[in-house]
Amino acid sequence: MRNTFILIVLLSMFYVSCKSPGSTSGDANIDRRVDSVMALMSLDDKIGQLNLLTSDWDVTGPTFRKDYEDLIRQGKIGAIFNAHTAAYTRKLQKMAMEESKLKIPLLFGYDVIHGYKTIFPGIAAIEAAASGLHWTFAPMVDIARDPRWGRVMEGSGEDAYLGSLIGAARVRGFQGKDLTDPLTILACAKHYAAYGAAQAGRDYHTVDMSELVLREVYLPPFKAALDAGVATYMTSFNELFGIPASASQFLLRDVLKKEWNFSGFVVTDYTSINEMVEHGYAVDHKHGAELALNAGVDMDMQGTAYLRFLKELVDEKKVTVAQIDDAVRRILKLKFQLGLFDDPYRYSDEEREKQLIYAPEHLDAARDIARKSFVLLKNNNQTLPFGANVKNVALIGPLGDTQHHILGTWRAAGDNAKAVSLLMALQQEPGFKVVFEKGCDIEGTDKSGFAKAIAAARAADIIVLAIGETAEMSGEAACRTNISIPGVQSELLAELKKLGKPIVLVLMNGRPITIEKEVDMADAVLETWFAGTQAGYAIADVLTGRYNPSGKLPITFPRNVGQIPIFYNMKNTGRPISESKYTSKYLDVSNTPLFPFGFGLSYTTFAYSNLALSDSLLHSNDSIVVSVKLANTGNFDGEEVVQLYVRDLVGNVTRPVKELKGYKKVFLKKGEEQTISFTIKASDLAFYHSDLTFKPENGDFMVFVGGNSVDVINASFKLQ
Ligand code: NOJ
């Protein structure tokens, strides 16, 4: 029953297609209602709708500054972020509904990124909506190819194709089928655009790239979010082509609003309009407001530049009332679509909140999704899962008993006290005894705990060492130039290694880290990221073999920082690596990553064979079928993510050495085999040419199939 519930929730979150906010059947009716509200609004009232301000949070709960409360009463705030709980949003909404002149409902937003209370990838919309929220600042669909950047863990990695699918699925998950359903919330595709390409992986830093790369790599997930019906976009902090994104007519007016015909609204990131001054693009905040509105920004997050200056700018004829009307219309339309004009309190229902927050079904889903996200990086001699001989487990390491770090960053209202540490979970396992020693801290040089840790490990059959990063080493303004395992954690591993016992490394971190020597020392390595509220149970499921790991890396793990940027779909260059000196390589380290994109082991093994194409010629407007035999050749039932890549050998502009074009997750019982097939259409091979037209080009292609981006078998075909 519970499983059925989860299935229904997941299906509705990920697979139901949703109507674009601009294309619901009631649209004409909503337009009429928006017009009727706008007819009552003064210019001040309209400008008020464009203003988004933050609530604060105190130990006693959420708070709102007194002067902001007055702004609500004066109709000078259209939306509030960081205010949450059904009771508190109701209180603020009441102020707007009972004390402001026009009684326009407020919109409540929040960074519900990795969950609201139950922290894990999913269910977020239901819990957030039950706590009075209408709008999340997610999904982040920024392509991230530099693991120094702290925000890589907010998105879906380095690949535009994968990022587009995940971005669209998250939009559908948040928005559901129908925005009037009080368990759905508005999504926000961010940060538009190219925020992940900050120079040197340093947050907020300059971005510079060709329009070709922008369109080929960084924009597709934003477009996919649009096609999935995303209601809002957030501008990015960075400049692009020398222009801060919030002032970019190219990004906002030309691409988003004209070329893509986006009908929802655009919000800035936090005080981005004001920051145009520091960028050296605006003289002052007023100038910033002018640039932003003219570029197509509809709502100002926290900068109050619109509130302070738009009216003057209208008087001075620097902006038009028509532009302001357009922005207001977009915002009011979504408030109507959420049903807020029919019942402004529909999301602020304390009963529903009690029932849904931390619902057992949510916790079960959190556990299941978390274990599916783990990536087994090494498993020599079948160290995992624990065999019957494992009677005593030594759990060592500063992340072994944390309820804090496992929630990661962007944890919204997540509560450490509800999180299950790895120790808490292992203590509930019936088959073995567990002793725990922290050994050291995540950071710092203190080794005084080593002796106790070694003593505990000496008495055990197997050592589980939980090490990695702090939660705070990821997220906004959390970049690192040294992405190795911090502190003395590695030294602790080296000491434990001397005991000659099997060592399982359980890694917790928010980015690819440089772990070549740690991987060498360990017998098994399980990458668990920051797995959320049920992390401990999920990891225990994998260690004990109740769940056979199936996750694959969405981002490349470099050997060292000097290899960055390193990603699977690089170009070949004119001098690809060879024995010869004058080829593209380093003197001190190979070109290969430590773990490639798409990599991940299972407790069982899979063999690929019989790669076949339905035809070696592909005609435009036609398709070919690629099939491969997959066999489970190991000792466990298991799932494999079968990946399909292509290479266009000669192009109008050079093409990457591989491009992901499809994948399928397949479950096979041990000993079973199955033929897996993919269809490649000519249109799947389209790319941006030097004149920026998007089309396929006739010629020779290679197709690759395998369990990661390196270990593949291949075949060839011709497009003509
Ligand atoms: C700044 C971050 O860049 C953005 O992702 C977030 O949504 C806003 N702050 C609001 O908290």
Side-chain angles (χ1 to χ4, degrees):
M1 176 60 193
R2 179 169 289 181
N3 285 343
T4 317
F5 174 84
I6 293 168
L7 188 70
I8 291 167
V9 170
L10 290 177
L11 283 178
S12 60
M13 292 188 65
F14 294 114
Y15 299 113
V16 186
S17 81
C18 112
K19 293 173 203 152
S20 146
S23 64
T24 51
S25 49
D27 242 25
N29 189 24
I30 285 185
D31 283 342
R32 268 198 304 279
R33 294 179 75 187
V34 168
D35 285 343
S36 70
V37 175
M38 286 187 58
L40 303 172
M41 295 172 86
S42 65
L43 183 56
D44 280 328
D45 297 328
K46 290 174 180 172
I47 293 170
Q49 286 302 303
L50 313 186
N51 187 27
L52 164 66
L53 290 175
T54 185
S55 157
D56 299 317
W57 187 265
D58 211 328
V59 273
T60 49
T63 58
F64 206 52
R65 285 170 36 180
K66 189 82 199 65
D67 49 335
Y68 286 0
E69 289 190 1
D70 292 340
L71 292 177
I72 298 181
R73 294 187 180 98
Q74 294 157 17
K76 289 187 170 167
I77 298 186
I80 292 173
F81 65 121
N82 295 330
H84 56 108
T85 73
Y88 194 65
T89 51
R90 176 175 285 272
K91 179 179 154 187
L92 296 178
Q93 193 69 291
K94 219 161 170 253
M95 240 174 249
M97 299 317 292
E98 292 175 10
E99 299 180 57
S100 76
K101 184 185 69 176
L102 287 181
K103 307 185 188 330
I104 297 179
L106 293 163
L107 186 72
F108 294 108
Y110 196 23
D111 285 291
V112 181
I113 315 279
H114 295 134
Y116 174 67
K117 283 277 186 187
T118 306
I119 303 304
F120 84 109
I123 304 290
I126 296 175
E127 290 197 358
S131 251
L133 295 165
H134 310 134
W135 181 27
T136 177
F137 303 136
M140 183 187 100
V141 294
D142 296 310
I143 294 300
R145 292 169 155 189
D146 191 328
R148 292 172 295 186
W149 191 47
R151 306 195 74 167
V152 296
M153 37 63 83
E154 288 175 53
S156 45
E158 72 189 36
D159 184 57
Y161 171 83
L162 182 64
S164 299
L165 291 177
I166 294 179
R170 292 187 67 196
V171 169
R172 291 195 294 267
F174 285 125
Q175 296 191 173
K177 252 205 260 182
D178 181 358
L179 287 177
T180 62
D181 176 347
L183 292 182
T184 60
I185 56 179
L186 305 179
C188 181
K190 71 185 189 185
H191 307 83
Y192 187 71
Y195 181 48
Q199 285 172 359
R202 170 152 62 83
D203 213 0
Y204 318 123
H205 203 358
T206 304
V207 172
D208 194 17
M209 62 177 64
S210 64
E211 187 175 337
L212 198 81
V213 171
L214 177 74
R215 288 195 179 264
E216 179 160 309
V217 179
Y218 291 88
L219 290 189
F222 287 99
K223 177 61 166 50
L226 180 110
D227 293 339
V230 74
T232 69
Y233 279 78
M234 186 187 293
T235 61
S236 53
F237 284 125
N238 57 280
E239 66 165 68
L240 179 68
F241 309 143
I243 297 175
S246 300
S248 173
Q249 303 227 6
F250 165 74
L251 284 175
L252 302 171
R253 286 242 178 265
D254 298 348
V255 176
L256 184 61
K257 289 185 171 173
K258 286 203 192 105
E259 196 178 313
W260 296 355
N261 203 17
F262 172 60
S263 61
F265 71 79
V266 176
V267 64
T268 65
D269 203 343
Y270 207 100
T271 60
S272 291
I273 295 180
N274 314 26
E275 289 166 26
M276 286 184 208
V277 174
E278 284 73 18
H279 273 290
Y281 195 68
V283 178
D284 51 22
H285 295 178
K286 182 173 166 185
H287 185 205
E290 174 191 336
L291 291 165
L293 192 79
N294 286 332
V297 165
D298 302 304
M299 189 184 273
D300 172 4
M301 184 195 286
Q302 200 57 27
T304 64
Y306 277 8
L307 191 66
R308 286 177 289 148
F309 301 115
L310 277 190
K311 200 165 178 196
E312 279 175 42
L313 288 164
V314 170
D315 292 342
E316 294 165 14
K317 304 206 174 348
K318 301 254 176 63
V319 301
T320 63
V321 173
Q323 284 166 317
I324 294 176
D325 281 351
D326 177 59
V328 175
R329 192 176 295 281
R330 288 166 181 268
I331 293 162
L332 292 183
K333 204 165 161 176
L334 282 167
K335 289 186 178 184
F336 270 108
Q337 287 183 343
L338 286 166
L340 295 180
F341 278 92
D342 301 317
D343 175 6
Y345 305 106
R346 60 205 309 270
Y347 281 66
S348 304
D349 177 338
E350 287 177 74
E351 252 330 290
R352 186 163 58 216
E353 183 178 37
K354 257 188 238 139
Q355 274 167 23
L356 290 176
I357 297 292
Y358 291 125
E361 292 80 7
H362 296 181
L363 295 177
D364 286 352
R367 176 174 181 163
D368 187 47
I369 304 280
R371 63 195 194 173
K372 286 180 172 148
S373 75
F374 300 159
V375 185
L376 185 66
L377 296 175
K378 179 176 181 180
N379 193 21
N380 278 9
N381 308 320
Q382 302 209 340
T383 305
L384 287 177
F386 295 164
N389 57 332
V390 171
K391 296 287 172 219
N392 293 294
V393 174
L395 174 63
I396 313 285
L399 289 161
D401 191 24
T402 175
Q403 291 174 282
H404 168 75
H405 296 292
I406 42 173
L407 294 191
T409 181
W410 291 116
R411 54 180 61 200
D415 180 356
N416 288 352
K418 293 275 185 187
V420 180
S421 76
L422 179 53
L423 178 63
M424 290 159 76
L426 290 181
Q427 280 168 336
Q428 294 170 36
E429 292 293 336
F432 51 81
K433 282 213 190 79
V434 58
V435 290
F436 172 67
E437 280 299 334
K438 190 170 138 190
C440 62
D441 293 326
I442 300 172
E443 295 180 272
T445 52
D446 184 5
K447 297 187 203 168
S448 58
F450 276 26
K452 270 189 175 170
I454 292 163
R458 191 168 277 131
D461 305 312
I462 195 164
I463 301 166
V464 175
L465 180 62
I467 57 177
E469 298 183 304
T470 65
E472 293 72 23
M473 286 178 184
S474 289
E476 189 181 347
C479 304
R480 302 179 67 204
T481 61
N482 174 355
I483 56 168
S484 63
I485 295 182
V488 292
Q489 297 178 93
S490 249
E491 289 179 55
L492 177 60
L493 167 60
E495 290 305 317
L496 293 169
K497 171 81 180 157
K498 292 179 188 160
L499 298 177
K501 311 236 172 198
I503 299 182
V504 176
L505 262 196
V506 171
L507 295 173
M508 299 185 191
N509 45 283
R511 59 158 62 71
I513 44 179
T514 49
I515 44 171
E516 196 162 17
K517 67 175 190 293
E518 290 82 1
V519 170
D520 279 348
M521 284 189 271
D523 298 278
V525 181
L526 183 68
E527 173 58 77
T528 67
W529 315 109
F530 291 121
T533 305
Q534 298 283 282
Y537 290 138
I539 299 169
D541 285 343
V542 172
L543 298 182
T544 57
R546 270 193 302 274
Y547 182 75
N548 181 358
S550 62
K552 301 280 186 174
L553 294 178
I555 185 165
T556 303
F557 272 47
R559 293 178 191 277
N560 65 24
V561 172
Q563 287 186 314
I564 298 168
I566 181 168
F567 44 90
Y568 84 94
N569 50 352
M570 302 198 89
K571 301 290 185 74
N572 202 39
T573 81
R575 293 191 174 194
I577 186 168
S578 76
E579 294 294 298
S580 154
K581 175 168 167 58
Y582 295 99
T583 57
S584 183
K585 63 186 176 197
Y586 302 102
L587 294 176
D588 56 342
V589 72
S590 92
N591 281 7
T592 61
L594 183 60
F595 296 110
F597 176 83
F599 182 83
L601 303 171
S602 161
Y603 292 152
T604 191
T605 46
F606 293 99
Y608 289 79
S609 63
N610 296 15
L611 181 62
L613 305 182
S614 59
D615 202 329
S616 59
L617 286 182
L618 170 59
H619 300 280
S620 46
N621 298 326
D622 208 350
S623 58
I624 50 170
V625 176
V626 180
S627 59
V628 70
K629 196 165 88 184
L630 179 73
N632 180 341
T633 49
N635 294 322
F636 295 81
D637 301 344
E639 291 159 294
E640 168 73 327
V641 180
V642 180
Q643 301 160 42
L644 172 84
Y645 299 87
V646 300
R647 176 171 179 186
D648 185 344
L649 293 184
V650 178
N652 165 279
V653 296
T654 61
R655 308 303 306 139
V657 291
K658 275 185 194 115
E659 291 178 84
L660 183 68
K661 291 291 178 188
Y663 61 88
K664 283 190 177 163
K665 192 164 191 174
V666 182
F667 173 82
L668 288 184
K669 288 192 171 311
K670 65 175 176 181
E672 241 177 29
E673 54 183 46
Q674 197 178 310
T675 297
I676 315 299
S677 42
F678 297 93
T679 301
I680 300 181
K681 300 194 292 297
S683 58
D684 295 332
L685 305 171
F687 64 95
Y688 286 97
H689 289 231
S690 54
D691 62 358
L692 295 182
T693 54
F694 185 69
K695 57 189 178 201
E697 186 181 354
N698 287 350
D700 291 320
F701 287 78
M702 286 182 78
V703 54
F704 310 86
V705 178
N708 63 63
S709 58
V710 168
D711 302 310
V712 287
I713 50 179
N714 64 70
S716 303
F717 67 92
K718 197 186 256 305
L719 175 66
Q720 66 172 32

